[in-house]
Amino acid sequence: MSETVRFGVSLSMDLLDRFDQLLSRIGYDNRSEAIRDLIREKIVEEEWESPKEETFGVVFVVYDHHALSLDSRLTDVQHEFLDNIVADLHVHIDEQNCLEVVVVRGPGKRVRAIGERLISMRGIKYGKLNLGTSGQHVH
Ligand code: NI
């Protein structure tokens, strides 16, 4: 663990008031933890643009399993990107709807491309890609 440093920040009272209101609504105990999280968030967002840094993404898709061959089309894409697909969870929501959660690893651009490919498939009712981090560069 690296050394901890303290530093000062200049900002308007209005902005600080808004920030403090937000922190209290979210439940932060102190500003330092909130500011650390904001910095981590920026570092993680930077990783998403990197061609090399490995990141993780979670793809969430809801679809009608009666939709023509969608099950097998989703599986085909996962076999195509074997090195990047880490896990796949299937939930039968009801008689008609299915939820598929796919965990993807790799450089940000690749993770995003695979996520977009899954989400944009014909027959997907709802799709969302959440990008995350390997955690290597955030402490
Ligand atoms: Ni199902």
Side-chain angles (χ1 to χ4, degrees):
M1 182 124 179
S2 68
E3 186 191 352
T4 299
V5 294
R6 298 173 69 91
F7 65 98
V9 177
S10 303
L11 72 168
S12 74
M13 192 56 109
D14 287 349
L15 191 57
L16 186 59
D17 283 345
R18 284 295 295 268
F19 190 57
D20 284 342
Q21 286 167 25
L22 180 67
L23 301 195
S24 120
R25 187 171 59 74
I26 295 172
Y28 278 105
D29 289 336
N30 62 70
R31 289 178 188 147
S32 288
E33 186 54 29
I35 289 166
R36 281 193 289 272
D37 278 355
L38 287 173
I39 293 170
R40 290 181 188 116
E41 190 177 323
K42 281 293 165 199
I43 290 170
V44 167
E45 284 177 8
E46 184 72 14
E47 288 175 15
W48 299 342
E49 305 306 322
S50 165
K52 284 196 219 149
E53 298 284 353
E54 182 173 76
T55 192
F56 279 78
V58 178
V59 186
F60 181 106
V61 289
V62 173
Y63 63 97
D64 181 341
H65 82 104
H66 298 114
L68 195 63
S69 73
L70 194 46
D71 277 310
S72 72
R73 284 187 286 131
L74 280 168
T75 305
D76 285 347
V77 172
Q78 295 185 54
H79 280 273
E80 192 180 327
F81 296 101
L82 273 184
D83 292 343
N84 301 103
I85 305 294
V86 183
D88 174 35
L89 169 72
H90 185 97
V91 177
H92 310 300
I93 298 174
D94 55 30
E95 287 176 5
Q96 193 169 6
N97 295 295
C98 295
L99 162 66
E100 194 103 1
V101 179
V102 183
V103 180
V104 188
R105 79 187 298 167
K109 285 188 174 165
R110 174 159 269 244
V111 170
R112 198 188 297 265
I114 294 168
E116 286 169 352
R117 173 107 173 255
L118 291 167
I119 289 166
S120 64
M121 293 181 109
R122 194 163 41 87
I124 301 287
K125 289 181 170 184
Y126 177 80
K128 182 89 180 164
L129 165 65
N130 284 302
L131 288 167
T133 181
S134 68
Q136 287 179 359
H137 303 292
V138 278
H139 303 280

